[in-house]
């Protein structure tokens, strides 16, 4: 009689096939999360989710630099994430939203660097291919370069390196995200 533990639940995977909205209360503040679905077939439905959005939390697997998409088995997953990120953060409906990038699976990235050379997939990387700090910064810069500075109105791209299965890491990250969103909202209210 096996009884699942918290780590079992954290490692569960279920692909999103529809738009899912859920609300959670964090320190007495309601947060509404909308998961618009990662599959290509769902992307055309995203626009209906963007009305009055406060922040975009974009999650990308940093360790996917050497993997291909499940849908076509050709497209590099990190390149595909970059394209989706570009489309979302530069969309006219999202100019006022805070942009927060989660580069996830940092633990897997660090393991992978010893066996899979990022330079084979991203020839523009000029650092030490085994230096996780250099690789993380390079991947972050790939995303940062996609943000149209004219459309962002000088707003920064906030980013966090995460391990989704590390609950302590996620607690710290979400505390910071909450603070970022609240500061941005307060700033925009003071400007109006």
């Amino acid at each position: 009689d096996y009884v699942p533990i918290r780590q079992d639940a954290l490692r569960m995977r279920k692909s999103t096939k529809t738009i899912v909205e859920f609300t959670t209360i964090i320190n007495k503040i309601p947060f509404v999360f909308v998961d618009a679905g990662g599959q290509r077939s769902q992307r055309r439905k995203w626009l209906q989710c963007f009305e009055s959005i406060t922040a975009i939390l974009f999650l990308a697997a940093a360790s996917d630099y050497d993997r291909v998409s499940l849908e076509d088995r050709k497209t590099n997953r990190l390149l595909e994430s970059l394209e989706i990120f570009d489309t979302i953060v530069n969309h006219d409906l999202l100019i006022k939203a805070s942009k927060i990038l989660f580069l996830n699976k940092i633990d897997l990235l660090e393991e992978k660097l010893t066996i899979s050379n990022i330079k084979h997939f991203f020839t523009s990387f000029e650092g030490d291919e085994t230096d996780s700090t250099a690789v993380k910064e390079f991947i972050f810069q790939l995303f940062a370069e996609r943000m149209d500075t004219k459309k962002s109105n000088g707003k920064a791209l906030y980013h966090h390196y995460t391990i989704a299965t590390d609950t302590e890491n996620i607690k710290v990250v979400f505390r910071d995200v909450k603070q970022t969103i609240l500061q941005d909202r307060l700033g925009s209210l003071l400007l109006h």
Side-chain angles (χ1 to χ4, degrees):
D1 292 288
Y2 179 75
V3 178
I5 61 172
R6 178 178 286 193
Q7 282 299 316
D8 294 327
L10 291 172
R11 295 183 187 284
M12 255 179 29
R13 300 226 183 262
K14 183 178 181 195
S15 60
T16 309
K17 298 191 188 312
T18 62
I19 296 168
V20 178
E21 183 176 306
F22 63 97
T23 303
T24 187
I25 308 294
I26 303 173
N27 294 338
K28 300 179 185 172
I29 299 169
F31 284 81
V32 178
F33 291 89
V34 179
D35 182 346
Q39 289 73 31
R40 289 179 182 168
S41 63
Q42 298 303 309
R43 293 180 190 152
R44 66 188 175 333
K45 299 176 184 175
W46 288 351
L47 277 181
Q48 64 188 346
C49 299
F50 289 162
E51 214 171 319
S52 66
I53 244 175
T54 304
I56 300 163
L57 308 180
F58 191 90
L59 181 73
S63 61
D64 276 357
Y65 68 85
D66 64 349
R67 299 189 68 199
V68 293
S69 167
L70 294 173
E71 281 122 337
D72 69 10
R73 306 239 184 248
K74 290 185 255 183
T75 307
N76 177 287
R77 284 189 185 185
L78 186 56
L79 286 175
E80 186 168 43
S81 289
L82 287 162
E83 290 298 321
I84 297 166
F85 178 81
D86 187 326
T87 300
I88 292 171
V89 300
N90 295 314
H91 196 283
D92 290 336
L93 291 175
L94 301 171
I95 290 170
K96 294 179 182 176
S98 299
K99 281 79 172 183
I100 305 167
L101 172 66
F102 293 113
L103 289 174
N104 194 37
K105 299 186 179 182
I106 294 303
D107 54 335
L108 300 180
L109 172 72
E110 290 171 351
E111 288 174 19
K112 188 181 273 192
L113 291 177
T114 61
I115 57 172
S116 179
N117 188 337
I118 191 169
K119 290 179 181 179
H120 294 158
F121 305 93
F122 289 86
T123 55
S124 59
F125 179 73
E126 296 177 348
D128 175 358
E129 67 273 5
T130 61
D131 179 356
S132 65
T133 302
V135 172
K136 288 188 296 190
E137 181 59 26
F138 170 76
I139 293 172
F140 167 67
Q141 287 303 321
L142 291 174
F143 283 92
E145 289 166 3
R146 296 293 182 117
M147 217 164 112
D148 185 333
T149 52
K150 291 177 189 150
K151 285 189 175 184
S152 67
N153 290 335
K155 282 192 167 209
L157 171 60
Y158 303 102
H159 68 288
H160 296 276
Y161 300 113
T162 59
I163 303 168
T165 57
D166 179 347
T167 55
E168 290 307 310
N169 171 252
I170 296 303
K171 282 180 189 174
V172 169
V173 166
F174 268 93
R175 183 195 67 223
D176 292 350
V177 165
K178 181 186 78 169
Q179 193 62 35
T180 298
I181 292 169
L182 292 174
Q183 285 177 343
D184 276 6
R185 292 307 297 158
L186 182 60
S188 68
L189 290 172
L190 293 173
L191 292 175
H192 293 284

